[in-house]
Amino acid sequence: MSSKTAADIRESLRLFFLKNPHIEHWIVAYSGGLDSSLLLKLCAEILPLECLSALHVNHQLQSDADHWARFCAESSAELGVCFESQKVTCESSSEESARQARYSVFKERLKPGEGLLLAHHQDDQAETLLFNLFRGSGVNGLSGIASSRSIGEGELFRPLLGVSKSEIESAARALQITWVDDPSNLDVSYTRNWVRHELSGVLSSQWPDWTSKLAKTAARMTEASELHEALAQVDLECCQLEEGVLSLAAMSDYSMARKKNVLYHWLA
């Protein structure tokens, strides 16, 4: 399979925007790193600038955090993109704490008709599937990162899930894009970084295309999850006496797997 070029990624983004005409304004979650820098650059080339803005979340966890915010502001200005930065206070320096603080900003910020663009890519998808596999996750967890979902009053999209990290870096260099590197990404005490820097090399030596294969698995698990949800909805209609009340007698003939499926769906 041939690698995607900058032109290929730009074209896939152009088609992505054509498929989502209901979004009136697009917001790129812009960290200043490689992935979001390429995404912002290409969006600025494709979209009318009045329909695009960049949102930076300053987690205040690194000594260079304010410098990165300034870099993002300057880079956005060079592209003619409206820029917004918000500082957050994380409960700890953990990945999950930073993620919760970041998504809290996204949820509060998104309005009806707005779409948030995140630059997660194929390698992120594969790493998430592995991470969830080691946690003992079921079908939902093995679906990996969702390509889209609602958030706040708007929607969240990840249009680069089919693009590998190496393709993103090659495209960014071809377009002479500059970005900042977060040194915490090299800290293997974080589980995701350990997967990326330690386990990834071992897997690549045996299966060079493991990230694309796991991305395909995540896509299949997403389909399976949708089927589970559809079956659970059918069963709920038969078993739910009223809102919040299930009939155990109505489920008595179901297999254990089917009982668990409808209960998980009901609880969710």
Side-chain angles (χ1 to χ4, degrees):
M1 182 181 294
S2 59
S3 296
K4 294 182 178 68
T5 64
D8 294 329
I9 300 172
R10 183 188 294 107
E11 177 62 13
S12 67
L13 280 173
R14 186 185 70 82
L15 294 175
F16 163 79
F17 291 127
L18 287 176
K19 293 177 181 177
N20 292 281
H22 63 290
I23 299 297
E24 300 170 359
H25 188 85
W26 294 96
I27 303 170
V28 174
Y30 184 34
S31 68
L34 166 64
D35 312 325
S36 62
S37 293
L38 177 67
L39 181 58
L40 182 63
K41 167 70 172 176
L42 294 179
C43 287
E45 293 180 355
I46 298 169
L47 296 169
L49 292 179
E50 63 271 18
C51 298
L52 177 67
S53 60
L55 172 61
H56 176 79
V57 178
N58 184 344
H59 299 89
Q60 304 185 88
L61 293 175
Q62 301 287 337
S63 58
D64 286 334
D66 290 339
H67 166 72
W68 296 338
R70 288 192 296 272
F71 170 85
C72 289
E74 293 169 359
S75 298
S76 298
E78 290 177 4
L79 294 171
V81 175
C82 181
F83 176 79
E84 175 185 354
S85 179
Q86 289 195 33
K87 287 186 176 182
V88 295
T89 301
C90 302
E91 294 183 359
S92 71
S93 60
S94 70
E95 291 177 288
E96 182 58 25
S97 178
R99 181 187 180 281
Q100 290 180 358
R102 181 167 62 254
Y103 278 78
S104 178
V105 170
F106 296 158
K107 185 176 181 180
E108 293 175 4
R109 173 65 179 78
L110 267 287
K111 301 295 186 292
E114 292 185 331
L116 178 70
L117 296 169
L118 273 64
H120 292 109
H121 47 73
Q122 186 180 87
D123 295 46
D124 292 321
Q125 182 68 291
E127 291 163 7
T128 296
L129 189 148
L130 272 182
F131 187 75
N132 289 342
L133 179 65
F134 297 149
R135 293 174 59 189
S137 298
V139 170
N140 287 346
L142 298 182
S143 298
I145 309 172
S147 60
S148 64
R149 66 177 177 87
S150 60
I151 184 169
E153 295 181 314
E155 295 179 63
L156 179 155
F157 299 89
R158 297 181 173 97
L160 299 182
L161 284 180
V163 185
S164 71
K165 179 75 170 182
S166 61
E167 290 170 335
I168 287 176
E169 182 170 357
S170 177
R173 294 192 184 283
L175 295 174
Q176 299 182 322
I177 294 173
T178 57
W179 64 87
V180 295
D181 290 313
D182 184 346
S184 70
N185 289 335
L186 300 176
D187 185 353
V188 293
S189 66
Y190 293 114
T191 304
R192 186 174 290 275
N193 287 344
W194 178 83
V195 170
R196 183 173 301 155
H197 299 294
E198 301 290 339
L199 183 58
S200 176
V202 176
L203 293 175
S204 295
S205 66
Q206 185 68 28
W207 299 286
D209 59 346
W210 71 273
T211 57
S212 63
K213 288 298 191 336
L214 287 190
K216 290 180 180 178
T217 296
R220 293 185 178 115
M221 290 299 100
T222 297
E223 293 176 353
S225 180
E226 291 173 355
L227 292 175
H228 282 196
E229 184 173 347
L231 176 60
Q233 190 58 48
V234 170
D235 289 344
L236 271 179
E237 291 176 3
C238 298
C239 301
Q240 189 162 264
L241 301 177
E242 57 185 90
E243 186 175 356
V245 180
L246 285 183
S247 168
L248 296 181
M251 291 193 293
S252 61
D253 292 334
Y254 290 172
S255 67
M256 180 57 69
R258 193 164 175 178
K259 288 175 182 175
K260 290 165 66 176
N261 185 50
V262 70
L263 281 172
Y264 287 147
H265 183 80
W266 178 67
L267 290 168

